[in-house]
Amino acid sequence: MRLIPNFLSQTFVRAAVGTLLVFASFAAYSADTAKDAAKTDIHGIAIANMDPSVKPGDNFYEYANGDWIKRTEIPPDRGRIGVFTTLDDLSNKRTLGLIDEAVKTNAPAGSSTRKIADLYTSYMGEATIEAKGLSPLRAQLDAIAAIHDKHELARALGESLRSDVDALNNTNFHTANLFGLWVAPGFSDSDHYAAYLMQGGLQMPDREYYLADNDRMRNIRTKYQAHVSAILKLAGFTDTDARAQRIVELEHAIAEKHISLAENEDIKKANNLWKQTDFDAKAPGLDWAEYFRGAGLGSQPNFIVWQPTAFAGESALVASTELETWKDWLAFHLIDAYAAILPKALADERFAFFGKILAGTPEQRPRWQRGVVVVNQLLGDAVGQIYAQRYFSPEAKAQVDAMVANIIAAFRRRIDALSWMDPATKAEAQAKLTTLYVGIGYPEHWHDYSTLEVKADDIFGNLWRGRLSDYHHDVARLGHAVDRKEWSMHPQTVNAVNLPLQNALSSPAAILQPPFFDPLAPAAVNYGAIGAVIGHEISHTFDAEGSAFDSKGRVRDWWTASDSAHFKAATARLAAQYDTYKPFPDISVNGEQTLDENIADNAGISAAYDGYRASLAGKPAPIQDGFTGDQQFFIAFGQDWGSKSREALVRQQVLTDPHSPSEYRAAGVRNVDAWYPAFNVQPGEKLYLAPPDRIQIW
Ligand SMILES: [Zn+2]
């Protein structure tokens, strides 16, 4: 489970380059960004960003960030600006510097340095891209055109399978391919890698875009169909309006078979072990033997099918829908997935729909920034290894390690103090903290790119081979021993992640810098800012989903019935609290869909607060600019979430993401007792909760 949504940072999402190029929200470095301590000599909270006219008890988010929000404009090439995007900008500028060095080095062919240089060069080569036109896709398009029957269709669908989804680590439930593969430790055997299969087939981000019965979504659907037609026309297809109508009808039918994001997050519904021989009976329609042969999985005996009803429904659609419609669907999906690196007319058409209409962003990012994203996606560890050496000192690592130890110790004390929990359950919870692997800054092992072929004049081939190489890498380790210390992010990623099946978490180097972490800032500020982030990731170990895994990362019910009942009641109250938040009058936060992230925020800030108090060792916290230590702690936490977003993006997040919008994450302070005396919050103020209504889960 990630700290923030993928599409709000440049977070690595394997094989989703086409999508990410549109959604990745970093942009040119802006001088006026939230809590930008990095470029000043402020070491502490950013007082200039606060709005003292707002009572902290009425709107803590605006109190902490209001002045910055008032004076900040969202640049036309992004959907959001804030603390995370500012750090993304910095990380990308640094990464570009490393890429530039690689380009100038003229390193030997086959070396990582040369691959970094050639990949970036291939992305930046617009003239080459324009000159090649659609020819890079020709072999794939010809193969689709040559499909004669449903047997050959099944093989083609199998050949399109990629490891492009991730249910529990980077949490990405979307693939435009018919299905997606996630290779991760097994639910019941977490010592070995298993094959998880997940629903797919939609280009738009979620089934809601196809099914929601309101004017806004109907309008989006009309524009989407026009986009499908436009892409096909630019690619030389005839009769594109009729083809587009059939493709959208097919996707609508697929969407009807999909389960919702909230249901996807319930791993108890996901733990469905199917043998390969079960598929014909459980999900008739698709020629499964041929599908698995096409996917190179013919000898894989077992799968965990995340959404059985969607597999049955989508497989039936393969049988019941015309072959020609499926061929058009395959061709459109192929072209749209790569449109961003095809000639400008296609790239612009893709951005016009996914960037402007879906995300509300008027302009594309500068090309160099998108080029950095591509390098991070395909060669993330190669450039990340240099990044970590250059930008993360051993001293910073030692200081963060000490904070982590304090926060884990605080969590231990909180578990011991729980009055409702059975001693045996407490013992297993403590064991989870003992075996938790915490990665700070960078991984101990790096991904090997030696077999990946990269050419300086072939961006399509580079992306195609890169995605295939990731897929082959994942398929090759099915059944093999799990590397519990493996990361799912890179050092240059501004995010953090909990990996429940590995009982591990990672906090990359790029988030371990101001304003989240500043070696020169008071402890109150570091614990409020990065401490709450680390606490959030530790807390995922014990959220609704994480608590289903034991100390070895296996799915095992280690809770007593009464512990479980107490936990469910407390988390239901938290879900109800978030259900009341309305970013716009016609749309509410979905408390169930965001529950795990809200539990992690809720427990994370409490553990970070305890860790901060413990770090003082009985001494008073220094007052800075008139703010007490406790005030600095909470303001630093509120400023973590300082951001400004376009309406379309917030709407997309509420529908498609497990994280609550920023202002409600900052409002989580209302559940912490210590926040009330720190700001003298009184009954009648909007965020005030009477003590029994404050929700404390851990
Ligand atoms: Zn999270």
Side-chain angles (χ1 to χ4, degrees), residues 119-149:
L119 177 58
Y120 185 74
T121 302
S122 71
Y123 184 82
M124 298 304 285
E126 288 179 88
T128 308
I129 289 171
E130 215 60 42
K132 286 188 175 185
L134 271 179
S135 64
L137 273 65
R138 189 47 59 201
Q140 274 79 17
L141 289 170
D142 287 349
I144 293 168
I147 295 172
H148 281 109
D149 54 30

Side-chain angles (χ1 to χ4, degrees), residues 623-628 631:
I623 290 180
Q624 190 159 311
D625 299 304
F627 292 98
T628 66
Q631 287 174 332

Side-chain angles (χ1 to χ4, degrees), residues 1-4 495-498 536-537 540 543 596-598 600-601 659 665:
M1 304 292 281
R2 290 160 292 123
L3 176 70
I4 54 164
N495 210 328
V497 67
N498 181 298
H536 171 105
E537 295 309 332
H540 271 312
D543 68 19
D596 283 324
E597 294 302 332
N598 300 333
D601 280 348
H659 303 83
R665 299 187 78 169

